[in-house]
Amino acid sequence: MAMTIQLYGFWRSNAAFRVRVALALKKLSFEEIEIDILSGRQFDAEYAEVNAEHVVPTFVHDGHRIFQSLAIMEYLDDLQPEPRLLPADAKERAYARSLALVSAADAHPLVIPRVRKYLGEVLSADAAAIDAWVRHWTVEGLATYERLLSRRPADPFALGTAPTIADICIAGQIVLAELHGLDLAAFPGVAALGKRCFELPAFANAHPFRQPHYLAKKH
């Protein structure tokens, strides 16, 4: 299928990580355009014309723009149905969305740059307090996933034989833990699922530490 895809993202963005994994699972090539959200470039007037919410990622398919990572992943299923990111069965599809939203809607939004900035600039939280906040909510997400996976163990992925949006978002929560130096020893079910996910090139190559701008920064 010939198509032009661009992704406005950033190496550290968890939401952009999710979309990179989804595109790789679909084997869809794309051009990634960096928006440095740590430097505030998402508020530049030029990018405001692309994304009115001032966030990444923004997905552009043949000139049509979509934002919010879960909406983008669902669009990818409509665009190219196989391999599916959402199960065909209604109950399984709802379960996959529920697992995905634990990170995408509950845990991750509490640790994004604009929240950390507000804590520091408006609520006068110092660096240690902000770090404690981030680590707390990251652990809360991991703990929720551990409880859910204990009730329905991954086999080998969260919903069966192939990764879905659920696995993508659980892997994203693991990435958050790695970024903030958290140990997964207390979450063996999450860690085991993450190991299986990151053995796949689609996950491994999408990891923030594998992105060109991160590697350039490190060197």
Side-chain angles (χ1 to χ4, degrees):
M1 182 184 299
M3 62 182 75
T4 300
I5 294 175
Q6 294 174 313
L7 182 69
Y8 290 83
F10 185 56
W11 69 265
R12 190 183 171 104
S13 166
N14 206 261
F17 161 79
R18 297 175 204 134
V19 177
R20 284 196 298 268
V21 174
L23 285 163
L25 289 171
K26 297 282 189 182
K27 294 182 169 54
L28 294 172
S29 61
F30 63 99
E31 173 194 7
E32 185 157 0
I33 302 165
E34 184 189 53
I35 303 295
D36 188 342
I37 59 176
L38 296 180
S39 299
R41 303 313 299 263
Q42 66 270 37
F43 298 105
D44 288 356
E46 183 178 355
Y47 187 62
E49 291 297 315
V50 175
N51 188 311
E53 195 182 4
H54 308 292
V55 297
V56 296
T58 303
F59 173 89
V60 185
H61 167 229
D62 290 345
H64 179 67
R65 298 169 186 163
I66 307 172
F67 59 100
Q68 295 293 342
S69 62
L70 295 191
I72 294 167
M73 290 191 286
E74 293 204 24
Y75 178 79
L76 289 175
D77 255 6
D78 292 333
L79 190 66
Q80 182 165 296
E82 297 297 334
R84 292 193 65 87
L85 301 177
L86 282 153
D89 177 78
K91 293 183 178 65
E92 290 291 271
R93 191 163 62 249
Y95 181 61
R97 286 195 182 104
S98 298
L99 287 175
L101 287 165
V102 169
S103 182
D106 291 342
H108 174 232
L110 292 169
V111 304
I112 60 177
R114 60 184 173 183
V115 170
R116 301 199 305 268
K117 182 178 179 181
Y118 186 87
L119 289 171
E121 294 184 358
V122 179
L123 301 182
S124 301
D126 61 17
I130 294 171
D131 183 61
W133 169 279
V134 168
R135 291 165 70 89
H136 170 79
W137 292 114
T138 302
V139 166
E140 283 292 304
L142 293 169
T144 299
Y145 278 134
E146 187 68 21
R147 291 193 300 272
L148 290 166
L149 291 174
S150 70
R151 295 179 182 183
R152 179 175 170 176
D155 186 27
F157 297 102
L159 278 88
T161 59
T164 66
I165 62 169
D167 304 279
I168 293 172
C169 291
I170 294 170
Q173 194 68 21
I174 292 170
V175 167
L176 288 176
E178 292 173 347
L179 287 169
H180 298 290
L182 292 168
D183 191 344
L184 295 180
F187 314 106
V190 172
L193 175 58
K195 183 177 185 297
R196 288 190 288 275
C197 287
F198 284 105
E199 286 172 349
L200 300 177
F203 285 82
N205 294 334
H207 194 288
F209 297 160
R210 298 283 291 273
Q211 301 316 299
H213 287 100
Y214 173 78
L215 294 172
K217 181 176 76 73
K218 293 294 287 183
H219 296 89

